Amino acid sequence: MSSSQPLRGVVPPVCTPLDASGEIDTASLIRHVEHLVSGGVHGLFALGSSSEVAFLTDRQRETVLRTVVEAVAGRVPVLAGVIDMTTPRVLVHAEAAREAGADALVATAPFYARTHPAEIAHHFRTLRSRVDLPLYAYDLPVSVHSKLSVALVRELAEDGTLAGLKDSSGDEGGLRRSSSRSAGATAAPTDPRPASASSPAPNSPSTPPCWPAPTGSYRAWATSTPPGTCASTTRCAPGTSTAP
């Protein structure tokens, strides 16, 4: 998967099964991955919030990602969460993800200490320049305690830093503004068709799954619109199709 190849369709998070001792249950994880891929998903997101990433050691993160990549065996792209508090630690996770065979990275802004927007921009640019994989920003203010602004997302998308945005902010209006301001794209209404999997917002009920819209210059998907609503859009290169 290159930054020029659009992310499309349904990309669910991969839950991380644990055994009674708190170690990774790899056999169950392999069955879970096979169930998702056999169900027709278009990609998998490993090591996000639903994957227990904040509670796993570095060794366990590596076990999860290598298990997922090997089980997928190239059938769909694997996006790897590289979430941590500071840029140096995120770079360590990103390099490990590259070595494990991930197709793209998903990173939040730095957290713990308050971070200026210029520092957030530098964080994403440093990550993209050091590890040559498509990079998706993860907007998760409930955990990171900062919101990625429309202006910043647009800037990083237009200069090629970001391949897309995973929006778990619950800010439907901000998502639509980000989408509509990128290369003149217009956010399209969501498709009401059901899907087999979607990503729930942290600390909120699951939201209905969404299908992507085929316009724009970068990709975005929403996973935390208010309960009972759905505003996910996927932005792809002009002229490409995102029909599932």
Side-chain angles (χ1 to χ4, degrees), residues 39-40 51 82 101 106 128 176 194 231:
S51 300
V82 292
V106 183
R128 182 66 181 89
R176 293 183 178 276

Side-chain angles (χ1 to χ4, degrees), residues 121 124-125 128 152-162:
F124 284 116
R125 289 189 175 112
R128 182 66 181 89
L152 178 60
V153 170
R154 181 185 181 189
E155 175 187 332
L156 294 174
E158 289 177 347
D159 71 12
T161 298
L162 295 181

Side-chain angles (χ1 to χ4, degrees), residues 29-124:
L29 179 56
I30 291 169
R31 289 195 299 271
H32 179 46
V33 168
E34 188 59 39
H35 172 74
L36 292 171
V37 175
S38 298
V41 301
H42 301 83
L44 293 176
F45 174 37
L47 296 178
S49 302
S50 297
S51 300
E52 312 285 351
V53 67
F55 305 99
L56 302 179
T57 65
D58 290 359
R59 175 184 59 80
Q60 289 175 319
R61 288 191 187 203
E62 182 177 1
T63 297
V64 168
L65 188 55
R66 289 190 180 275
T67 300
V68 171
V69 169
E70 290 173 8
V72 167
R75 290 175 290 175
V76 297
V78 175
L79 285 71
V82 292
I83 299 160
D84 215 317
M85 292 184 289
T86 64
T87 304
R89 284 200 52 77
V90 172
L91 285 169
V92 171
H93 297 310
E95 183 58 33
R98 186 192 65 78
E99 292 179 358
D103 297 289
L105 307 175
V106 183
T108 66
F111 53 97
Y112 187 78
R114 295 182 65 181
T115 309
H116 189 277
E119 295 173 305
I120 295 174
H122 180 71
H123 167 77
F124 284 116

